[in-house]
Amino acid sequence: MLTKFLESVWGTPADNRPPATREQQLQLAFAVLLVDVARSDWEHAPSEREVIINALAAHFALDSKQARELVREAEHTLDVETSLHRFLSTVNAACSHTEKRALMERLWEVAFADGELSKYEEHTIRRLADLLYLPHADFIRSKHQHSGE
């Protein structure tokens, strides 16, 4: 148990797989943040999961099978992780302001996928926008774009 914990913290896989590439780390970071928004209201709408799969497939040029596996990995990661810090750090280090705004667009798509926006989803996106160093104006503009207001 301690070995797995240390391996997860230090990045050495327990099953002797080679360490993830920067691109794989970024893919997982995006997936984790998208799944985090979907889970924030404690409801697991299939439409939200499909939006996540489609967003990952489009953004990273993945096929459906790869995107579904990435979502499963993100779900498992969120089950065992206690913090989003490493995922936010990955995104902040690898992405431009424009790319982070595009991520926020996908976060809103997930939140509105089931036809309603919960206060928990909105709060989660607001928190993520702050941690991604996105200005409040981007947050509001993106929200209004996706809400149809």
Side-chain angles (χ1 to χ4, degrees), residues 37-129:
V37 169
R39 286 184 169 185
S40 65
D41 64 356
W42 298 286
E43 295 191 19
H44 304 287
S47 57
E48 291 175 333
R49 195 168 203 278
E50 286 305 310
V51 165
I52 294 169
I53 291 165
N54 292 335
L56 292 170
H59 190 84
F60 294 107
L62 303 172
D63 63 34
S64 179
K65 182 180 177 187
Q66 292 170 316
R68 288 181 190 286
E69 181 57 37
L70 183 55
V71 170
R72 278 192 291 278
E73 185 177 352
E75 290 168 339
H76 171 73
T77 299
L78 279 171
D79 289 341
V80 298
E81 289 285 332
T82 59
S83 171
L84 296 177
H85 176 21
R86 78 176 166 116
F87 307 106
L88 291 161
S89 294
T90 297
V91 172
N92 281 324
C95 295
S96 68
H97 179 82
T98 302
E99 291 168 317
K100 290 190 280 186
R101 272 198 343 241
L103 171 59
M104 188 166 49
E105 296 288 333
R106 303 300 76 80
L107 296 173
W108 283 116
E109 287 175 10
V110 171
F112 283 108
D114 60 1
E116 59 184 79
L117 174 67
S118 82
K119 64 183 179 183
Y120 303 109
E121 290 168 326
E122 183 172 5
H123 173 76
T124 299
I125 296 171
R126 171 73 254 168
R127 181 175 48 91
L128 292 174

